[in-house]
Amino acid sequence: MPAIEHLRPRPSGHRSGRDRAPGFLGRMRQRRAQRDYEASVLTFAYTLKGEFRDACEYLRVCHYVSVAAGITVRTPRVGEVRVGPPISFTVELMPGQEPEDFRKPGRRMAHTLGAHGLRIEPLAGRWVRLVLLEADPLAEHFGLPPVTAGSGTETVLLGRTEDRTTLGHAIADPAHLAVQGMNGSGKSAFVYGLLAQLCAAPDVLVAGSDITGLLLGRVWDDTAHREWQVVGTHDLEAHAALLEQLVAEMDRRLATIPRREDKITPTVTVPTVLVVLEEFPGLLRAAGAVPKPKSGKSLAERIVSAQLRLLSEGRKAAFRVLTLAQRFEATAVGGGYARDQFALRLSFRVPADSLAMLHGDDARPFGQEHANADPGIAYLSGLGRDCERIRVPHLGDYGEYVDRIQSYGRRAES
Ligand SMILES: Nc1ncnc2c1ncn2[C@@H]1O[C@H](COP(=O)(O)OP(=O)(O)O)[C@@H](O)[C@H]1O
Ligand SMILES: [Mg+2]
């Protein structure tokens, strides 16, 4: 039972007649109701402060101070309590504390107080307001508006945070993207949305490998992107050949970087190449089953080394790699070094250890709950943002994806 329910003060419902001035008894009743209400607010604030203090102590958002009698615990001081809704209270930061320090323990703190989540609003000076969210702000559906970027430098929609900030990203910014999530967690649907936003940009090329053949391939028929995509498992050599062709293009670009510049500026003739690698560990597994040739590298080795070169040198040459995997284990994605190259990381529903594997130990406290997340709910980290829970926009059903790519996908010049 949510603890906060019985803490909420109940304003008295008493009202005198609309037109009649209250008589003596009426005025007494009003005054009494007012007093009762004020007393209940004070009790409520007192109880809330106590529970907040306990939560801070348990979650170690506190200072331990040595005194003669032993150790005492200091927790952040609570100022004004608003009964809401939503319930909120101001807190004075302790020395060395930052508003961000409430983010990680925020959810547990909110649960202790009977709420779903905590929003942190920095105020003037050393004060923050903590707002108790009664419901999951990400439960609401987030449809992808029918927008397409006119250039790779334009921002595309990535998702919406719990405090309703919309996050965007320009594909021309030098970052590779890692997307992990269990089967059915919404990885592919997220990338449908991303590619639908990018498919029309004249300075973006959507290339890549997709053994499922749903994300790339047939959907892209008649667009300029299609010839740079390889799908299915019938010809695994074609996947390695495509990646090697992309590496060759990257090398060609690297050799032509103007002398006074350190990177390629994407244009219509030299577009940003987004290399999508759908179910990459699956591709490696399938390639691993192909017998090794008598001389030279195996198919899997060729794929891994091409991916590694695109990851480590591609940024300067306007190549962006977008790798999808159920788990970003080092062995499944071509090694720890390869994994370290992804600046933007998203995790849809994954087991707790996978979350920490991609986002670091900071994400560990979120692991247990995120292991049951709904499709479309992800943790995002990188590009200057701490690990944050978001809902990604949903394009709709698969038919909608097909329609958008077919309607807006950039056509090959005839
Ligand atoms: N952002 C979202 N919002 C709501 N439902 C979603 C969202 N993303 C995916 N889904 C639902 O989850 C199902 C599985 O998504 P999918 O992208 O195929 O998962 P994955 O690629 O991770 O296996 C989709 O068919 C869709 O019904
Ligand atoms: Mg998928």
Side-chain angles (χ1 to χ4, degrees), residues 86-144:
I87 296 164
S88 71
F89 51 101
T90 58
V91 167
E92 187 180 25
L93 297 171
M94 294 187 297
Q97 206 176 30
E98 293 291 330
E100 279 301 303
D101 296 350
F102 285 98
R103 192 173 298 282
K104 219 188 320 165
R107 180 163 299 230
R108 283 164 184 258
M109 210 171 258
H111 289 173
T112 303
L113 298 171
H116 177 88
L118 197 65
R119 190 170 68 221
I120 304 151
E121 298 175 354
L123 302 173
R126 298 285 300 157
W127 288 84
V128 290
R129 176 173 293 284
L130 301 181
V131 183
L132 294 176
L133 304 170
E134 301 216 345
D136 181 0
L138 299 187
E140 206 179 304
H141 185 79
F142 178 18
L144 181 70

Side-chain angles (χ1 to χ4, degrees), residues 187-188 278-279:
K187 298 182 296 296
S188 300
E278 168 73 301
E279 298 281 3

Side-chain angles (χ1 to χ4, degrees), residues 343-344 380-388:
L344 190 57
L380 174 145
S381 70
L383 298 183
R385 294 198 81 93
D386 286 342
C387 199
E388 215 170 334

Side-chain angles (χ1 to χ4, degrees), residues 235-305:
D235 180 6
L236 289 165
E237 207 278 333
H239 293 262
L242 173 87
L243 292 177
E244 284 163 351
Q245 200 185 338
L246 289 167
V247 170
E249 167 64 12
M250 176 185 78
D251 284 337
R252 201 188 55 73
R253 288 183 179 193
L254 287 172
T256 60
I257 294 182
R259 194 137 65 119
R260 291 175 54 78
E261 283 165 37
D262 60 358
K263 59 179 185 301
I264 292 279
T265 306
T267 60
V268 173
T269 43
V270 186
T272 300
V273 182
L274 179 60
V275 183
V276 181
L277 304 173
E278 168 73 301
E279 298 281 3
F280 189 62
L283 172 67
L284 288 187
R285 259 195 314 275
V290 175
K292 194 175 154 93
K294 287 211 174 59
S295 63
K297 289 185 193 168
S298 74
L299 207 51
E301 283 165 353
R302 285 171 59 194
I303 291 171
V304 166
S305 72

Side-chain angles (χ1 to χ4, degrees), residues 141 181-190 375-376 391-394:
H141 185 79
M182 287 151 85
N183 228 338
S185 59
K187 298 182 296 296
S188 300
F190 165 69
R391 174 176 272 277
V392 302
H394 194 217

